[in-house]
Amino acid sequence: MKSETYYILLAEDDEDDRLFFKEAISELKINSVLTIVNDGVQLMNYLNQKDVELPHLLFLDINMPRKNGMKALQEIRSSERLKDLSVAMYSTSSAQKDIEDALANGANIYINKPSDFDHLKKIITKAVSVNWQYHTSGLNKENFILNIE
């Protein structure tokens, strides 16, 4: 990846998952700035600040208190300022309904949270290396879920 700074935003309510993600990012050879919010309300408050640097990629948990990831995704896609934000739904859920809802609501990719640290690092590396605007031009249910072989 280029030496430019890559802005990553994680919306995650689980403290262990936040720490796991932060540690994985710190071990990668990516010049990045990671911002973490704890729920969908904090996420939208952060993104709606006029002077905030919008992230290159948002990792968005589905199951969060106060405002879940699907509601936040809908708000992001309906906002003129935020509608082109690259969003990776990041969830423990592998339910078809969650995957289909994420696709229908405009997420760029769906990632099942890995429990293995090395797998998480591979997922993050792959996610930040994709040009999401190009990738989503041919998006369908088969290529929506990000897998690491």
Side-chain angles (χ1 to χ4, degrees), residues 93-109:
S93 172
S94 56
Q96 285 303 305
K97 180 173 180 3
D98 287 338
I99 295 167
E100 290 168 3
D101 286 351
L103 179 60
N105 284 308
N108 297 85
I109 200 76

PDB file of all heavy atoms in Angstrom, residues 93-109:
ATOM      1  N   SER A  93     -22.596 -12.157  13.019  1.00  0.00           N
ATOM      2  CA  SER A  93     -23.749 -12.795  12.388  1.00  0.00           C
ATOM      3  C   SER A  93     -23.414 -13.289  10.986  1.00  0.00           C
ATOM      4  O   SER A  93     -22.822 -12.576  10.187  1.00  0.00           O
ATOM      5  CB  SER A  93     -24.913 -11.803  12.297  1.00  0.00           C
ATOM      6  OG  SER A  93     -25.960 -12.357  11.515  1.00  0.00           O
ATOM      7  N   SER A  94     -23.818 -14.515  10.714  1.00  0.00           N
ATOM      8  CA  SER A  94     -23.714 -15.025   9.348  1.00  0.00           C
ATOM      9  C   SER A  94     -25.113 -15.336   8.818  1.00  0.00           C
ATOM     10  O   SER A  94     -25.273 -16.063   7.844  1.00  0.00           O
ATOM     11  CB  SER A  94     -22.812 -16.259   9.299  1.00  0.00           C
ATOM     12  OG  SER A  94     -23.291 -17.242  10.182  1.00  0.00           O
ATOM     13  N   ALA A  95     -26.126 -14.743   9.468  1.00  0.00           N
ATOM     14  CA  ALA A  95     -27.516 -14.947   9.058  1.00  0.00           C
ATOM     15  C   ALA A  95     -27.748 -14.342   7.670  1.00  0.00           C
ATOM     16  O   ALA A  95     -27.332 -13.221   7.396  1.00  0.00           O
ATOM     17  CB  ALA A  95     -28.453 -14.297  10.074  1.00  0.00           C
ATOM     18  N   GLN A  96     -28.405 -15.110   6.814  1.00  0.00           N
ATOM     19  CA  GLN A  96     -28.666 -14.636   5.452  1.00  0.00           C
ATOM     20  C   GLN A  96     -29.436 -13.318   5.448  1.00  0.00           C
ATOM     21  O   GLN A  96     -29.182 -12.459   4.606  1.00  0.00           O
ATOM     22  CB  GLN A  96     -29.440 -15.699   4.654  1.00  0.00           C
ATOM     23  CG  GLN A  96     -28.578 -16.869   4.228  1.00  0.00           C
ATOM     24  CD  GLN A  96     -27.379 -16.429   3.391  1.00  0.00           C
ATOM     25  OE1 GLN A  96     -27.500 -15.752   2.380  1.00  0.00           O
ATOM     26  NE2 GLN A  96     -26.191 -16.808   3.840  1.00  0.00           N
ATOM     27  N   LYS A  97     -30.358 -13.142   6.377  1.00  0.00           N
ATOM     28  CA  LYS A  97     -31.133 -11.902   6.429  1.00  0.00           C
ATOM     29  C   LYS A  97     -30.214 -10.703   6.676  1.00  0.00           C
ATOM     30  O   LYS A  97     -30.359  -9.668   6.030  1.00  0.00           O
ATOM     31  CB  LYS A  97     -32.214 -11.964   7.500  1.00  0.00           C
ATOM     32  CG  LYS A  97     -33.020 -10.660   7.557  1.00  0.00           C
ATOM     33  CD  LYS A  97     -34.197 -10.730   8.474  1.00  0.00           C
ATOM     34  CE  LYS A  97     -35.021  -9.479   8.563  1.00  0.00           C
ATOM     35  NZ  LYS A  97     -34.709  -8.341   7.765  1.00  0.00           N
ATOM     36  N   ASP A  98     -29.265 -10.826   7.599  1.00  0.00           N
ATOM     37  CA  ASP A  98     -28.337  -9.725   7.876  1.00  0.00           C
ATOM     38  C   ASP A  98     -27.485  -9.419   6.643  1.00  0.00           C
ATOM     39  O   ASP A  98     -27.273  -8.253   6.290  1.00  0.00           O
ATOM     40  CB  ASP A  98     -27.430 -10.055   9.062  1.00  0.00           C
ATOM     41  CG  ASP A  98     -28.168  -9.990  10.392  1.00  0.00           C
ATOM     42  OD1 ASP A  98     -29.215  -9.309  10.466  1.00  0.00           O
ATOM     43  OD2 ASP A  98     -27.699 -10.612  11.362  1.00  0.00           O
ATOM     44  N   ILE A  99     -26.997 -10.460   5.982  1.00  0.00           N
ATOM     45  CA  ILE A  99     -26.171 -10.278   4.789  1.00  0.00           C
ATOM     46  C   ILE A  99     -26.979  -9.612   3.680  1.00  0.00           C
ATOM     47  O   ILE A  99     -26.534  -8.647   3.056  1.00  0.00           O
ATOM     48  CB  ILE A  99     -25.579 -11.629   4.330  1.00  0.00           C
ATOM     49  CG1 ILE A  99     -24.606 -12.157   5.396  1.00  0.00           C
ATOM     50  CG2 ILE A  99     -24.909 -11.501   2.969  1.00  0.00           C
ATOM     51  CD1 ILE A  99     -24.196 -13.612   5.222  1.00  0.00           C
ATOM     52  N   GLU A 100     -28.196 -10.098   3.448  1.00  0.00           N
ATOM     53  CA  GLU A 100     -29.058  -9.526   2.407  1.00  0.00           C
ATOM     54  C   GLU A 100     -29.454  -8.088   2.733  1.00  0.00           C
ATOM     55  O   GLU A 100     -29.470  -7.231   1.842  1.00  0.00           O
ATOM     56  CB  GLU A 100     -30.302 -10.404   2.210  1.00  0.00           C
ATOM     57  CG  GLU A 100     -29.971 -11.737   1.553  1.00  0.00           C
ATOM     58  CD  GLU A 100     -31.108 -12.746   1.599  1.00  0.00           C
ATOM     59  OE1 GLU A 100     -32.214 -12.410   2.093  1.00  0.00           O
ATOM     60  OE2 GLU A 100     -30.880 -13.890   1.158  1.00  0.00           O
ATOM     61  N   ASP A 101     -29.750  -7.805   4.006  1.00  0.00           N
ATOM     62  CA  ASP A 101     -30.104  -6.438   4.405  1.00  0.00           C
ATOM     63  C   ASP A 101     -28.921  -5.492   4.212  1.00  0.00           C
ATOM     64  O   ASP A 101     -29.088  -4.362   3.757  1.00  0.00           O
ATOM     65  CB  ASP A 101     -30.566  -6.393   5.874  1.00  0.00           C
ATOM     66  CG  ASP A 101     -31.959  -6.976   6.074  1.00  0.00           C
ATOM     67  OD1 ASP A 101     -32.652  -7.262   5.072  1.00  0.00           O
ATOM     68  OD2 ASP A 101     -32.348  -7.156   7.247  1.00  0.00           O
ATOM     69  N   ALA A 102     -27.726  -5.959   4.556  1.00  0.00           N
ATOM     70  CA  ALA A 102     -26.531  -5.127   4.388  1.00  0.00           C
ATOM     71  C   ALA A 102     -26.300  -4.818   2.910  1.00  0.00           C
ATOM     72  O   ALA A 102     -26.011  -3.675   2.537  1.00  0.00           O
ATOM     73  CB  ALA A 102     -25.315  -5.820   4.993  1.00  0.00           C
ATOM     74  N   LEU A 103     -26.460  -5.804   2.053  1.00  0.00           N
ATOM     75  CA  LEU A 103     -26.304  -5.616   0.618  1.00  0.00           C
ATOM     76  C   LEU A 103     -27.372  -4.658   0.088  1.00  0.00           C
ATOM     77  O   LEU A 103     -27.066  -3.692  -0.626  1.00  0.00           O
ATOM     78  CB  LEU A 103     -26.389  -6.969  -0.102  1.00  0.00           C
ATOM     79  CG  LEU A 103     -26.280  -6.964  -1.628  1.00  0.00           C
ATOM     80  CD1 LEU A 103     -24.950  -6.391  -2.082  1.00  0.00           C
ATOM     81  CD2 LEU A 103     -26.454  -8.383  -2.173  1.00  0.00           C
ATOM     82  N   ALA A 104     -28.618  -4.880   0.490  1.00  0.00           N
ATOM     83  CA  ALA A 104     -29.729  -4.036   0.020  1.00  0.00           C
ATOM     84  C   ALA A 104     -29.602  -2.589   0.493  1.00  0.00           C
ATOM     85  O   ALA A 104     -30.007  -1.663  -0.210  1.00  0.00           O
ATOM     86  CB  ALA A 104     -31.060  -4.620   0.489  1.00  0.00           C
ATOM     87  N   ASN A 105     -29.011  -2.395   1.678  1.00  0.00           N
ATOM     88  CA  ASN A 105     -28.876  -1.044   2.222  1.00  0.00           C
ATOM     89  C   ASN A 105     -27.613  -0.327   1.761  1.00  0.00           C
ATOM     90  O   ASN A 105     -27.350   0.796   2.182  1.00  0.00           O
ATOM     91  CB  ASN A 105     -28.932  -1.088   3.756  1.00  0.00           C
ATOM     92  CG  ASN A 105     -30.355  -1.284   4.248  1.00  0.00           C
ATOM     93  OD1 ASN A 105     -31.252  -0.563   3.852  1.00  0.00           O
ATOM     94  ND2 ASN A 105     -30.557  -2.270   5.099  1.00  0.00           N
ATOM     95  N   GLY A 106     -26.811  -0.993   0.930  1.00  0.00           N
ATOM     96  CA  GLY A 106     -25.697  -0.303   0.307  1.00  0.00           C
ATOM     97  C   GLY A 106     -24.323  -0.492   0.921  1.00  0.00           C
ATOM     98  O   GLY A 106     -23.407   0.267   0.618  1.00  0.00           O
ATOM     99  N   ALA A 107     -24.142  -1.513   1.772  1.00  0.00           N
ATOM    100  CA  ALA A 107     -22.796  -1.785   2.281  1.00  0.00           C
ATOM    101  C   ALA A 107     -21.919  -2.224   1.114  1.00  0.00           C
ATOM    102  O   ALA A 107     -22.404  -2.788   0.132  1.00  0.00           O
ATOM    103  CB  ALA A 107     -22.833  -2.872   3.348  1.00  0.00           C
ATOM    104  N   ASN A 108     -20.625  -1.977   1.221  1.00  0.00           N
ATOM    105  CA  ASN A 108     -19.705  -2.360   0.157  1.00  0.00           C
ATOM    106  C   ASN A 108     -19.250  -3.809   0.269  1.00  0.00           C
ATOM    107  O   ASN A 108     -18.949  -4.448  -0.729  1.00  0.00           O
ATOM    108  CB  ASN A 108     -18.467  -1.456   0.171  1.00  0.00           C
ATOM    109  CG  ASN A 108     -18.840  -0.021  -0.112  1.00  0.00           C
ATOM    110  OD1 ASN A 108     -19.213   0.705   0.804  1.00  0.00           O
ATOM    111  ND2 ASN A 108     -18.757   0.395  -1.354  1.00  0.00           N
ATOM    112  N   ILE A 109     -19.192  -4.301   1.502  1.00  0.00           N
ATOM    113  CA  ILE A 109     -18.704  -5.660   1.733  1.00  0.00           C
ATOM    114  C   ILE A 109     -19.224  -6.130   3.091  1.00  0.00           C
ATOM    115  O   ILE A 109     -19.574  -5.320   3.942  1.00  0.00           O
ATOM    116  CB  ILE A 109     -17.152  -5.706   1.676  1.00  0.00           C
ATOM    117  CG1 ILE A 109     -16.646  -7.112   1.420  1.00  0.00           C
ATOM    118  CG2 ILE A 109     -16.519  -5.093   2.899  1.00  0.00           C
ATOM    119  CD1 ILE A 109     -16.792  -7.571   0.003  1.00  0.00           C
TER     120      ILE A 109
END
